[in-house]
Amino acid sequence: MRIVVLVSGTGSNLQSVIDAVKGGELDLDIAAVGADREGTYGLERSSEAGLETFVVNFNSFPTRDEWDAALTARVESYAPDVVVSSGFMRIVSADFIAAFDGKYLNTHPALLPAFPGAHGVRDAMAYGVKVTGCTVHWADAGVDTGPIIAQEAVAIEPGDTEESLHERIKIAERRLLVNTLAALAAAS
Ligand code: GAR
């Protein structure tokens, strides 16, 4: 199974995939890691791991459609079986989703369909829920919508900050992502 991973930030979920591949727990090929901007830690980690990286810089394109078409073409060039949005903070078009129909995997730091969007952890805390968590799902053309593959609950503790809660969610999220990819690789 060949995957392309898309990241916008620190890429700690990506690192768990890299570690699982290197440790032999995950039998797949990371064809490339792509980002929407230069200079992210996610790209640095990937280069350090000897992976191919690419940037389709959102700010270098006059329109979102042109950026999206360039991203689609670049990802397609790797002929991936699965494309993983791992902290990729850009909404992609219906054309991108169609190009990778049923192959675009997303992780989200909340128990979808609750708290979709860019601030899933903050929104759950602001609502006052006592349990939140993380979700791995196949992405469709909506924002954090599409068939759910796996979820894990994480309790919100007294004194939690958005950062402390997000870090605890990410521990569960990394496990969920690696386990999901392992199951997909085994079935491929
Ligand atoms: C993860 O928690 C991921 O679920 C979230 O960004 C974080 C990236 O962490 N994505 C979203 O909120 C998308 N809606 P990482 O860069 O350390 O892997």
Side-chain angles (χ1 to χ4, degrees), residues 52-172:
E52 177 162 342
T53 64
F54 65 90
V55 175
V56 182
N57 193 331
F58 187 80
N59 294 320
S60 303
F61 290 81
T63 66
R64 174 177 278 277
D65 283 353
E66 284 163 277
W67 169 78
D68 201 283
L71 179 72
T72 305
R74 186 66 194 247
V75 175
E76 265 178 336
S77 74
Y78 297 102
D81 300 302
V82 175
V83 181
V84 183
S85 163
S86 184
F88 190 57
M89 303 305 278
R90 298 279 176 197
I91 293 168
V92 292
S93 70
D95 287 348
F96 180 97
I97 297 291
F100 305 105
D101 190 23
K103 297 180 181 180
Y104 191 39
L105 196 72
N106 183 42
T107 73
H108 184 72
L111 292 175
L112 293 173
F115 311 116
H119 305 291
V121 180
R122 188 186 307 171
D123 293 346
M125 289 190 85
Y127 194 93
V129 294
K130 302 300 176 207
V131 175
T132 183
C134 49
T135 303
V136 174
H137 68 105
W138 293 117
D140 64 15
V143 176
D144 296 319
T145 56
I148 290 171
I149 301 169
Q151 292 186 303
E152 193 168 319
V154 175
I156 299 180
E157 307 290 355
D160 255 337
T161 61
E162 182 180 352
E163 195 179 18
S164 67
L165 176 60
H166 200 168
E167 280 311 312
R168 236 172 31 258
I169 289 172
K170 282 198 203 178
I171 293 169

